[in-house]
């Protein structure tokens, strides 16, 4: 198929000339007379390349390109102009156009530029589609590994089957490589169940059509494993583990030795484990009964020689014990990141038991992963948070000391500063103030180097709280208190870091109370506390209104008077009964003069990481969902808030059988959603899902906060400000978006409809990290840039630019050996994952470096 090119030029003759040349060269061409028309065309059609003039009436070609990339980020671009403006090339370079041609230019030069640009497009498209396919398969693969935990009767099934298969391999004298392949195939033999509807696996009786669905799981498993070159042999073993020796098995009906021997071994081991463990449809058998059943099926279902070997193995197995399992090839940083994100979510939701188990699993996986110290530091940091949240301060401090030692050994400067900061908060709770001022000054320097506004904000809070808690006197100390307090308040206001109030409310309260008592920065405090919809604001005001200082109470009443919500009304009403006459009188007067409105509850929907819903920052128990499909329907509509979704489309996604029964199920699910939320958000629940002529939509006007909407807003704002060179503001938005990204879209809950959105959001997240890495590289803050490049590789180990960025940073720090190591890591990873060599620029940089030639440090 011919590549599609969009030509944009206000000069009719030039536009027609370019179009004729391109069509003569075999390309499909669409022309636009100005930037506005080009943007509209880009919304409707897909283009591989955009060729645009710079100067055009109304909108420049550069601005048009910027808008087009919102719809088609992969399209290549060539800019042409007849004006020798010094600004145009700079703008074009910032836009990362593929070529910049000055008029007049020859047809030969023009077509050569087009050819080169489209060749880059083809290479990138091939790599991106390959990465997307691998990423999607890997997500499904991980989900399959955890799928057994959904069903109590399957927990440990694959591990037990793998243990028996391993014993068989040793009995039969398999080579180490063949043994490991069999072990892996055994562990993954039921991975296809992740693609099956959960209710099927819980039924005690199956209809014929349902049984046919379950029989597909070996094919589904093969399809999940096949994209991974190293697992293709294993995929074949898994595919045939339900074949029968005499034939009649599935999916291929193979007989005898045409069935791979590994598949025959798995079939016997799986049958034995199934028979000796309870299932929804029958009671378990004892070992002797299970072996007798397998013996009866010898030469019918099972290879008779293998039945004999299996019987011998099982007779000695009880005496010898189970052999130790071999390592699973896909364990490592990717799975650890998955577990870490799940653990973080459960910790936030207050489920410490699940969080602890996930943290422990992640730590175990990373113990041997010397290449992932940043992830290990994050695991340790999260564990300290969890212990502190559970009130185990002494254990948290012990864990913090070990974590600090680890971060120091691994030269993780930023992680060391973050752990130190949290350790300081723990010591302040224990009223251990020795040396804290110096430690705060040291971590502030690190956070300034990393330009982390959030961490600087928290550091200023701690510095203010330390002076209040130590009851330091007037003079210079008081002056420093005001300086730190002002910095804290302004940073919190500018970055909307209101979660600081939730995380460190026990420190915010004494600081704000002291400031109000001493009449310090009261106007700034009033501004910061004026938005009651922000989490942590009303709980803080409630504590302040209960203080024993009259002046503080009266100032807080002034703050409440500027609010219009239900929470403020309740606090004012409570203050009207205060024992202090002045406070009671002022509260009553404010209520009478400024009647407050009752606002509806704030619904919060989190898609990034594990899906969860909260009302007024209180997490909702997952048990509220009567069925998985009701929850999935809600999440689908909420992720497309304000968009009307056709009724037929919803049925196709969630009730694919169609017909009146599917339509009834859809109506019932929508009714259930409204019922679920009625006690949580009141009358607003009736309009949460609205019926329209063309379908259904999630109410855009509902008082609702959605993390992916917030993420998108900060992503676009940060990019725009960065393009304008307004980096102070850009960093706030980009860092805010970075902190919002708690994991992939709907992590741990794979749904096919979420694929494209998951990929789109993760692409934006990686772009944010890349922008930050470039920013710090350009400022010669190479250690900070290294952190961002490494984070990118933790998410996508085939991200070529990250390898180049790391190599350049290490080279700039005169760590050539480390840069060389990164090159070899890049080579091995790209060959293993994508069967590709490193791109020319990485190879060129490497060759110049090892030959001692001058290297230009530009990304």
């Amino acid at each position: 198929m011919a590549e599609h090119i969009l030509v944009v030029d206000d000069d009719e003759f030039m536009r027609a000339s370019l179009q004729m040349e391109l069509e003569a060269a075999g390309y499909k061409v669409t022309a636009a007379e100005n930037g506005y028309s080009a943007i509209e065309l880009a919304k409707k059609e897909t283009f591989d390349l955009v060729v645009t003039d710079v100067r055009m009436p109304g909108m420049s070609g550069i601005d048009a390109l910027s808008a087009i990339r919102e719809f088609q980020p992969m399209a290549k671009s060539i800019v042409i102009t007849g004006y020798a403006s010094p600004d145009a090339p700079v703008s074009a370079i910032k836009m990362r156009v593929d070529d910049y041609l000055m008029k007049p230019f020859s047809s030969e030069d023009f077509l050569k530029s087009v050819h080169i640009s489209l060749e880059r497009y083809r290479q990138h498209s091939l790599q991106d589609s390959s990465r997307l396919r691998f990423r999607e398969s890997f997500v499904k693969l991980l989900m399959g590994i955890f799928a057994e935990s959904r069903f109590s009767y399957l927990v440990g099934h694959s591990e037990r089957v793998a243990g028996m298969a391993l014993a068989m391999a040793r009995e039969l004298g398999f080579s180490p490589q063949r043994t490991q392949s069999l072990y892996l195939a055994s562990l993954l033999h039921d991975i296809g169940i992740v693609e099956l509807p959960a209710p099927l696996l819980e039924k005690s009786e199956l209809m014929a059509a349902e049984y046919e669905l379950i029989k597909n799981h070996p094919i589904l498993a093969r399809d999940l494993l096949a994209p991974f070159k190293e697992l293709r042999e294993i995929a074949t073993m898994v595919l045939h583990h339900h074949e029968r020796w005499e034939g009649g098995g599935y999916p291929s009906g193979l007989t005898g030795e045409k069935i791979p021997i590994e598949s025959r071994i798995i079939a016997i081991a799986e049958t034995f484990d199934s028979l000796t463990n309870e299932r929804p449809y029958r009671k378990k058998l004892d070992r002797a009964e299970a072996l007798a059943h397998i013996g009866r099926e010898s030469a019918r279902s099972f290879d008779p020689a293998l039945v004999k070997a299996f019987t011998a193995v099982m007779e000695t197995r009880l005496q010898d014990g189970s052999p130790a399992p071999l390592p699973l090839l896909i364990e490592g940083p990717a799975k650890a990141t998955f577990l870490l994100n799940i653990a973080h979510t459960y910790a936030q939701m207050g489920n410490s038991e699940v969080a602890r188990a996930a943290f422990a699993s992640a730590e175990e996986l990373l113990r041997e992963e010397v290449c992932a110290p940043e992830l290990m530091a994050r695991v340790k940091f999260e564990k300290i948070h969890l212990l502190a949240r559970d009130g185990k301060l002494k254990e948290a401090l012990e864990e913090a000391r070990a974590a600090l030692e680890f971060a120091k050994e691994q030269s993780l400067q930023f992680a060391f500063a973050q752990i130190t900061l949290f350790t300081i908060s723990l010591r302040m709770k224990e009223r251990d103030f020795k040396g804290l001022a110096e430690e705060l000054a040291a971590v502030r320097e690190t956070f300034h180097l990393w330009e982390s506004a959030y961490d600087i904000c928290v550091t200023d809070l701690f510095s203010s709280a330390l002076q209040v808690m130590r009851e330091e006197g007037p003079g210079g100390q008081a002056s420093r208190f005001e300086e730190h307090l002002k910095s804290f308040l302004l940073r919190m206001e500018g970055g909307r870091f209101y979660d600081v109030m939730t995380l460190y409310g026990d420190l915010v309260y004494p600081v704000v109370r002291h400031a109000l008592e001493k009449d310090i920065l009261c106007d700034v405090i009033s501004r910061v506390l004026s938005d009651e919809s922000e989490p942590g604001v009303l709980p803080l005001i409630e504590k302040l209104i209960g203080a024993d200082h009259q002046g503080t109470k009266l100032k807080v009443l002034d703050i409440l008077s500027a609010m219009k919500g239900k929470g403020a009304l309740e606090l004012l009403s409570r203050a009207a009964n205060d024992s202090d006459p002045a406070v009671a009188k002022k509260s009553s007067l404010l209520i009478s003069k400024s009647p407050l409105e009752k606002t509806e509850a704030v619904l919060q929907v989190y898609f990034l990481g594990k899906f969860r819903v909260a009302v007024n920052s209180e997490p909702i128990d997952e048990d509220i969902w009567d069925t998985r499909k009701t929850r999935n329907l809600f999440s689908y509509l909420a992720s497309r808030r304000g968009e009307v979704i056709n009724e037929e489309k919803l049925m196709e996604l969630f009730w694919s059988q169609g017909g009146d029964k599917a339509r009834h199920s859809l109506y019932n699910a929508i009714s259930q959603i409204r019922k679920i939320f009625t006690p949580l958000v009141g009358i607003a629940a009736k309009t949460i899902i609205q019926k329209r002529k063309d379908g259904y939509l999630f109410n855009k006007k509902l008082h609702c906060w959605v993390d992916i909407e917030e993420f998108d807003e900060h992503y676009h704002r940060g990019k725009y400000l960065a393009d304008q060179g307004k980096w102070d503001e850009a960093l706030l938005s980009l860092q805010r978006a970075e902190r919002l990204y708690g994991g992939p879209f709907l992590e741990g809950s794979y749904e096919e409809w979420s694929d494209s959105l998951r990929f789109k959001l993760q692409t934006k997240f990686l772009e944010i990290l890349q922008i930050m890495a470039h920013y710090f590289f350009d400022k010669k803050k190479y250690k900070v840039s290294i952190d961002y490049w490494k984070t990118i590789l933790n998410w996508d180990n085939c991200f070529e630019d990250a390898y180049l960025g790391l190599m350049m940073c290490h080279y700039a720090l005169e760590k050539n050996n480390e840069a060389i190591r990164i090159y070899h890591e890049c080579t091995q990873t790209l060959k293993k994952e994508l069967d590709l060599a490193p791109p020319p620029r990485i190879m060129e940089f490497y060759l110049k470096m090892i030959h001692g030639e001058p290297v230009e440090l530009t990304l």
Side-chain angles (χ1 to χ4, degrees), residues 148 154-161 189-190 270 273-274 279:
E148 284 186 2
L154 282 181
V155 172
H157 168 68
S158 291
E159 286 83 352
R160 293 191 297 269
V161 171
H189 76 278
D190 273 341
E270 180 184 47
D273 187 72
S274 297
R279 292 290 186 266

Side-chain angles (χ1 to χ4, degrees), residues 561-574:
S561 69
M563 298 180 179
K564 294 184 178 181
K566 180 181 176 182
L569 175 64
E570 290 175 354
L571 289 179
L572 274 179
S573 300
R574 198 180 305 173

Side-chain angles (χ1 to χ4, degrees), residues 437-454:
E438 292 76 15
E439 289 187 28
L440 282 168
V443 298
R444 186 183 284 106
E445 284 185 20
T446 299
F447 295 141
H448 273 293
L449 177 64
W450 259 257
E451 298 185 42
S452 176
Y454 175 81

Side-chain angles (χ1 to χ4, degrees), residues 571-635:
L571 289 179
L572 274 179
S573 300
R574 198 180 305 173
N577 297 314
D578 196 273
S579 58
D580 187 319
V583 174
K585 182 179 179 181
K586 183 170 183 176
S587 300
S588 300
L589 184 64
L590 287 172
I591 292 172
S592 64
K593 284 189 173 181
S594 304
L596 304 177
E597 303 170 5
K598 283 196 173 184
T599 58
E600 60 192 67
V602 180
L603 185 66
Q604 294 141 313
V605 187
Y606 298 85
F607 288 100
L608 296 169
K610 189 178 185 299
F611 175 74
R612 59 204 189 278
V613 179
V615 174
N616 293 335
S617 300
E618 286 295 320
I620 295 172
D621 197 304
E622 287 193 0
D623 292 340
I624 65 165
W625 305 106
D626 59 331
T627 67
R628 185 163 144 259
K629 281 190 178 176
T630 301
R631 189 190 74 163
N632 288 342
L633 176 64
F634 173 87
S635 61

Side-chain angles (χ1 to χ4, degrees), residues 489 498 501 512-513 515-516 520-532 537-538 540-542 544-545 551-565 567-569 571-572 586 590 594 596:
L489 292 170
Y498 283 87
M501 290 188 179
V512 174
R513 185 196 63 196
L516 292 175
I520 299 172
L521 299 172
C522 295
D523 56 334
V524 185
I525 292 172
S526 179
R527 281 205 319 269
V528 170
L529 299 184
S530 62
D531 189 352
E532 67 174 293
V537 169
L538 283 178
L540 175 62
I541 291 178
E542 185 176 5
L544 291 169
I545 208 78
T552 299
K553 290 183 178 182
L554 294 173
K555 288 168 186 169
V556 173
L557 291 178
D558 290 332
I559 296 172
L560 284 171
S561 69
M563 298 180 179
K564 294 184 178 181
L569 175 64
L571 289 179
L572 274 179
K586 183 170 183 176
L590 287 172
S594 304
L596 304 177

Side-chain angles (χ1 to χ4, degrees), residues 377 380-381 384 398-408 419:
K380 292 178 180 294
F381 188 39
I384 300 165
E398 288 177 14
E399 189 76 31
R401 279 189 279 271
L404 285 170
E405 190 63 32
F406 174 81
K408 189 175 182 180
I419 297 169

